[in-house]
């Protein structure tokens, strides 16, 4: 397995997606002894503007902290795709919510469609669990990090009292991508 | 394991701005005044929580100018003080920064540099306040600016900023950029036993015998805390040893020269830089802050291609590291100066390098960092 991994989580401000980056980095550092950096990008208007967080993981110390060849991207808004859908590897795994993202390059990337928002709304009833559902889906679609490490990191970062629903949301995402085919 | 091993360090995953705030608290900072501005706001945010916990004071002022004034006032009472801002706020603070320099009030000013002039690119990186840090306020006065590249280095440089400010009775700038302020990476927090917190010199004489600018006590005269019985006067006018205004040209010259000597006479204390593969380098690269991380990758990649490149990374940007720059400059074919501005530090490199070959910039603005490949291309052009 490659010793370098890059992930990007893109959405709009207010969806809480920046936290997902922290959790992935935490999983790599605390539970797999790797190095990680994460860098958020947001616009001056905090809510509603396209936002992303980039995570780089390596077995060695990371010098250049900008992504250059992304392995996995989650996108929850068309305008975020339009703005941040670059620096992706040709076979990058791209996870989108089809109700929010309509146009991505199907030829270049392995595109998976999962109604993350709908799933969160119907099964969790609270949109704050969007990140946890997304992380579960990511854990199911990628194999760079052990899903258990991501789960543990989520548990560690979850606000007190929300551990159980966060784990439940993670599992919903994880299970939902099991039979998912790209394209 | 040996018992004398240094204590286990706490390992954290924090964003740069939190590192600044936590290191400031560890450095004994107990007063922060600020006005929030992206991309530095998280520093104020963390300080607003941490300082009350530590028995310190946090004040959000009405603007950046007032914030600078507030930390000067608190410094005079003996506190270790800090404010944080970004380029536009740094501009606003300049007049009071000059005042702090001239009354010799220790303070730390953090500038998390963003892109563009004026309001510019609030959420994106820039490194265009190099010259503002040096020449932003009017008149001659010494300047110290620290520009770390890594978050564990940042923690230590914050502590060093406080120590230098106190030791030399002067403002010290921490010049970082948006990328470092918002980047999270693994940070090893040093145990307090691993560093020293240096206090400002304080008077050993009675209040009656005390002069606040007594050069017979050395270039850094002892500073008495306000409200401890030592009454002394501060003014932005040129002043004599009593702190009261004077227009005596001999005293004015002597006092400003003494202030300048606080930096020029303590270079070994202040200067800090790192060299990477410079011993046999034929192409020199000089870069600071997060741009230096891209430069390091570029130098390593050049070496893989058989090009003898080497990096000089100033950790202290002001005073500019003249000696190592000259040492490198005099024996190389070309000097490459990448910086996230249209060319500022390059003036210093040109001034001191004594380079026979060209000194060329790699300049990128617009909020996107310089990539290692862009620096490597430049290196290859001159190899």
């Amino acid at each position: 397995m490659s010793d370098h991994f890059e992930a990007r989580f893109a959405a709009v401000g207010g969806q809480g997606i920046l936290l997902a980056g922290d959790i992935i980095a935490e999983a790599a550092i605390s539970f797999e002894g790797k190095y990680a950096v994460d860098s958020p990008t947001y616009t001056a208007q905090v809510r509603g503007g396209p936002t992303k967080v980039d995570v780089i993981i390596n077995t060695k110390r990371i010098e250049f902290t900008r992504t250059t060849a992304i392995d996995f991207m989650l996108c929850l808004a068309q305008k975020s795709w339009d703005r941040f859908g670059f620096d992706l590897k040709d076979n990058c795994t791209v996870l989108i919510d089809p109700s929010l993202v309509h146009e991505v390059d199907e030829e270049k990337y392995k595109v998976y469609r999962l109604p993350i928002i709908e799933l969160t709304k119907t099964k969790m009833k609270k949109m704050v669990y969007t990140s946890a559902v997304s992380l579960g889906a990511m854990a199911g679609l990628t194999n760079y990090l052990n899903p258990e490490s991501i789960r543990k990191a989520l548990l560690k970062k979850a606000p007190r009292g929300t551990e159980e629903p966060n784990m439940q949301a993670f599992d919903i995402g994880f299970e939902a991508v099991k039979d998912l085919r790209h394209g | 394991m040996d018992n004398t091993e240094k204590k286990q360090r706490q390992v954290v995953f924090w964003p740069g701005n939190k590192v600044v705030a936590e290191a400031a608290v560890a450095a004994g900072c107990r007063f922060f005044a600020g006005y929030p501005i992206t991309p530095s706001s998280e520093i104020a945010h963390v300080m607003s929580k941490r300082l009350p916990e530590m028995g310190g004071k946090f004040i959000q002022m009405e603007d950046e100018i007032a914030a600078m004034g507030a930390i000067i006032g608190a410094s005079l009472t003996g506190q270790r003080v800090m404010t944080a801002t970004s380029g536009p706020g740094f501009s606003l603070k300049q007049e009071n920064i000059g005042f702090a320099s001239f009354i010799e009030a220790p303070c730390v000013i953090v500038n998390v540099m963003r892109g563009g002039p004026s309001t510019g690119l609030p959420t994106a990186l820039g490194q265009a306040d190099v010259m503002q840090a040096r020449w932003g306020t009017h008149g001659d006065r010494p300047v110290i600016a620290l520009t770390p590249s890594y978050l564990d280095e940042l923690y230590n440089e914050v502590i060093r900023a406080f120590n230098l400010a106190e030791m030399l009775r002067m403002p010290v700038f921490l010049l970082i950029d948006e990328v470092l302020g918002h980047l999270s990476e693994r940070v090893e927090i040093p145990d307090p036993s691993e560093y020293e917190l240096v206090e400002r010199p304080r008077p050993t004489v009675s209040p009656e015998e005390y002069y606040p600018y007594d050069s017979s006590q050395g270039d850094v005269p002892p500073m008495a805390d306000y409200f401890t019985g030592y009454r002394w006067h501060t003014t932005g006018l040129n002043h004599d040893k009593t702190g009261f205004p004077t227009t005596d040209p001999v005293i004015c010259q002597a006092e400003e020269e003494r202030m300048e000597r606080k930096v020029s006479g303590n270079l070994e204390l202040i200067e800090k830089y790192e060299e990477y593969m410079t011993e046999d380098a034929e192409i020199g690269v000089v870069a600071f802050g997060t741009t230096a991380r891209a430069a390091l990758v570029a130098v390593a990649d050049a070496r893989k291609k058989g090009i003898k490149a080497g990096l000089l990374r100033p950790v202290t940007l002001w005073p500019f590291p003249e000696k190592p720059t000259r040492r490198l400059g005099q024996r190389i074919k070309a000097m490459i100066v990448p910086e996230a501005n249209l060319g500022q530090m390059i003036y210093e490199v040109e001034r001191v390098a004594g380079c026979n070959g060209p000194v060329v910039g790699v300049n990128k603005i617009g909020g996107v960092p310089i990539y290692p490949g862009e620096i490597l291309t430049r290196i290859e052009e001159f190899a």
Side-chain angles (χ1 to χ4, degrees), chain B residues 241-313:
Chain B
K241 70 173 182 181
T242 65
F244 284 100
T246 180
T247 54
D248 182 329
V250 176
I251 296 175
C252 292
Q253 175 134 5
E255 280 297 280
E256 287 194 42
E257 283 177 353
R258 174 183 61 75
M259 276 173 43
E260 199 63 47
R261 277 198 306 276
K262 292 195 293 185
V263 167
S264 62
N266 288 296
L267 287 183
E268 70 293 340
L269 194 72
I270 303 165
E271 273 193 351
K272 196 170 166 189
Y273 55 88
E274 263 194 16
E275 291 182 272
Y276 175 69
M277 306 198 110
T278 51
E279 309 80 30
D280 62 340
E282 291 171 357
I283 305 284
V285 181
V286 186
F288 70 96
T290 54
T291 303
R293 295 173 70 147
L296 192 138
V297 176
V299 165
D301 288 348
R303 288 274 169 174
K304 279 181 211 152
K305 293 183 164 195
I307 302 168
K308 287 184 178 167
L311 171 69
L312 170 65
R313 178 172 75 85

Side-chain angles (χ1 to χ4, degrees), chain B residues 73-74 76-78 224-232:
Chain B
L76 291 170
T77 71
D225 299 349
Y226 270 30
F227 313 118
T228 57
Y230 290 81
R231 295 166 65 104
W232 57 286

Side-chain angles (χ1 to χ4, degrees), chain B residues 33-41 61-69 71 83-98 108-122 129 132-133 136-137 173-175:
Chain B
Y35 186 79
I37 177 170
T38 304
S40 77
S41 299
M61 298 299 289
E62 67 268 33
D63 60 30
E64 287 88 345
I65 302 169
M68 189 62 215
I71 67 163
T83 187
T85 189
S86 185
F90 198 45
S91 299
L92 287 169
K93 290 179 193 294
Q94 288 296 343
E95 186 184 9
N96 270 341
I97 288 171
V108 173
I109 298 130
V110 185
N111 176 2
V112 187
M113 292 182 284
R114 64 204 230 177
S118 188
T119 312
L121 297 164
D129 297 340
Q132 190 189 183
T137 192
F173 301 141
L174 191 76
L175 214 54

Side-chain angles (χ1 to χ4, degrees), chain B residues 11-32:
Chain B
V11 176
V12 297
F13 186 71
W14 286 345
N17 284 339
K18 185 175 163 78
V19 172
V20 171
E22 291 291 346
V25 171
C29 176
R30 293 295 177 268
F31 185 90
F32 180 101

Side-chain angles (χ1 to χ4, degrees), chain A residues 93-142:
Chain A
T93 298
V94 176
L95 174 63
I96 57 170
D97 185 317
S99 67
L100 297 169
V101 185
H102 312 288
E103 279 181 55
V104 293
D105 193 337
E106 305 274 349
E107 303 290 306
K108 269 172 97 173
Y109 311 121
K110 283 188 282 184
V111 181
Y112 292 87
R113 291 179 165 76
L114 184 70
I116 293 170
I117 300 297
E118 186 62 27
L119 267 176
T120 310
K121 206 187 285 177
T122 53
K123 299 209 171 170
M124 296 306 302
K125 314 285 185 217
K126 277 186 182 165
M127 298 319 292
V128 290
Y129 298 110
T130 309
S131 277
V133 173
S134 304
L135 285 168
M138 179 197 171
L141 289 173
T142 58

